[in-house]
Amino acid sequence: MSWLDGHSAVVTGAGSGLGRAIVERFVDEGARVVAFDKSQQKLEELKDKLGDAVEIVAGDVRSSSDNERACALAVTSFGKLDTFVGNAGLWDFNRSLPDTPVEQLESGFDELFGVNVKGYLLGVKAALSALRESRGSVVLTLSNAAFFPAGGGPLYVASKHAGVGLVKQLAYELAPDVRVNAVAPGGMDTDLRGPAALGLSDTAIGEAIPINDLMAQGSALRFAPQPADYVGAYLLLAAKSQSATVTGSVFDISSFGILPRYAG
Ligand SMILES: NC(=O)c1ccc[n+]([C@@H]2O[C@H](COP(=O)([O-])OP(=O)(O)OC[C@H]3O[C@@H](n4cnc5c(N)ncnc54)[C@H](O)[C@@H]3O)[C@@H](O)[C@H]2O)c1
């Protein structure tokens, strides 16, 4: 018996990087998953690989109706929804306050918080009635930047700290029906992009900084994790049999917590 046999999940930002690795692992463990991403092309590649275990929804996490479509598809296709994974995110490529022109600060804030914070709120709202029905759970992707400085600039770091607030408040509001937790991974070489408002939508993280070297040299455990190295925590939190008492928690799996400061 696998940990997620018969399980149904929605994963946002499922087209690449961490989200894709979560979908692949959940399916390996017996789940069926609605993969939600803005990139139709990435979703089709995932569907080609995983077949009937995956349904795909192309849309924007900043849209309540797109979130509702994704959650409704899980219920109509798989009969229920057990876990909503909010994961789609944008990074700010370490843009500091002094170096950001004020117009970009305004529009960049709206875009980045729209995805990293509003996207999570709208996703949980759309999933809520189905999660109450299944007594399921929410898992959000945060970051080392949810606890420490220098994992981004003020926009990203503030957005991930806001995620900690979401976890605590939503765990409080949704108890005892729905568990709400988060995972805070550290750096990894993915397709992670930034807000168009900051001119950062065409650059991936690994093109801008030597993320694998930074992790290998600057994290406590001295290796460069790949997305699949982070997904065990999601599996644990999604599997009620393994984490029935856990709510309101953020698992810091970034390996930065024991360092005096982040070298990124
Ligand atoms: N890569 C890192 O170093 C790192 C470190 C810590 C935390 N994270 C977090 O991990 C999560 C996943 O990022 P990743 O590194 O796998 O990047 P990624 O770009 O490979 O994956 C994110 C996915 O989200 C999708 N997406 C972006 N905006 C969207 C929107 N508005 N609507 C729908 N889909 C959208 C993208 O198309 C992409 O497929 C993010 O929340 C990120 O903040 C990443």
Side-chain angles (χ1 to χ4, degrees):
M1 175 99 176
S2 301
W3 278 14
L4 298 184
D5 272 340
H7 204 90
S8 161
V10 169
V11 178
T12 77
S16 65
L18 184 57
R20 183 177 168 132
I22 293 167
V23 176
E24 289 175 346
R25 183 70 190 277
F26 277 23
V27 166
D28 255 9
E29 294 284 339
R32 287 177 295 171
V33 181
V34 171
F36 176 15
D37 201 285
K38 69 178 181 187
S39 165
Q40 177 80 30
Q41 189 193 334
K42 287 179 179 178
L43 290 171
E44 283 171 9
E45 285 166 18
L46 189 62
K47 176 81 182 159
D48 284 348
K49 185 172 176 203
L50 297 178
D52 288 345
V54 169
E55 298 291 341
I56 58 176
V57 170
D60 191 323
V61 294
R62 294 169 293 181
S63 152
S64 51
S65 58
D66 288 353
N67 277 289
E68 284 157 12
R69 267 196 305 130
C71 295
L73 185 62
V75 174
T76 52
S77 304
F78 310 141
K80 60 178 178 155
L81 175 60
D82 297 299
T83 301
F84 176 84
V85 180
N87 167 77
L90 296 177
W91 191 45
D92 63 6
F93 288 72
N94 293 326
R95 283 286 177 86
S96 70
L97 183 73
D99 289 341
T100 309
V102 69
E103 323 75 61
Q104 286 195 358
L105 204 53
E106 291 185 20
S107 51
F109 176 94
D110 290 345
E111 190 176 347
L112 190 141
F113 267 69
V115 176
N116 292 11
V117 183
K118 186 171 82 175
Y120 286 178
L121 266 178
L122 293 179
V124 178
K125 182 75 174 167
L128 187 53
S129 64
L131 292 178
R132 280 204 161 118
E133 184 91 6
S134 66
R135 296 184 78 84
S137 80
V138 171
V139 187
L140 303 178
T141 295
L142 299 181
S143 164
N144 48 287
F147 302 107
F148 312 114
L155 297 184
Y156 186 74
V157 173
S159 78
K160 291 299 180 180
H161 274 66
V164 178
L166 281 184
V167 168
K168 293 186 185 206
Q169 182 63 23
L170 295 180
Y172 165 73
E173 291 183 7
L174 305 190
D177 300 332
V178 178
R179 296 179 302 115
V180 182
N181 297 292
V183 177
M188 64 197 125
D189 193 0
T190 64
D191 196 30
L192 186 63
R193 311 242 163 172
L198 299 184
L200 295 171
S201 56
D202 293 328
T203 313
I205 184 170
E207 294 162 354
I209 59 169
I211 185 70
N212 285 323
D213 294 344
L214 287 173
M215 290 301 294
Q217 291 154 22
S219 68
L221 297 175
R222 296 287 192 274
F223 81 107
Q226 301 308 300
D229 294 314
Y230 289 116
V231 301
Y234 293 83
L235 180 59
L236 181 84
L237 289 170
K240 197 170 186 176
S241 59
Q242 307 300 320
S243 56
T245 66
V246 185
T247 195
S249 288
V250 183
F251 286 6
D252 177 9
I253 59 166
S254 70
S255 98
F256 289 119
I258 63 166
L259 294 176
R261 70 189 173 91
Y262 173 42

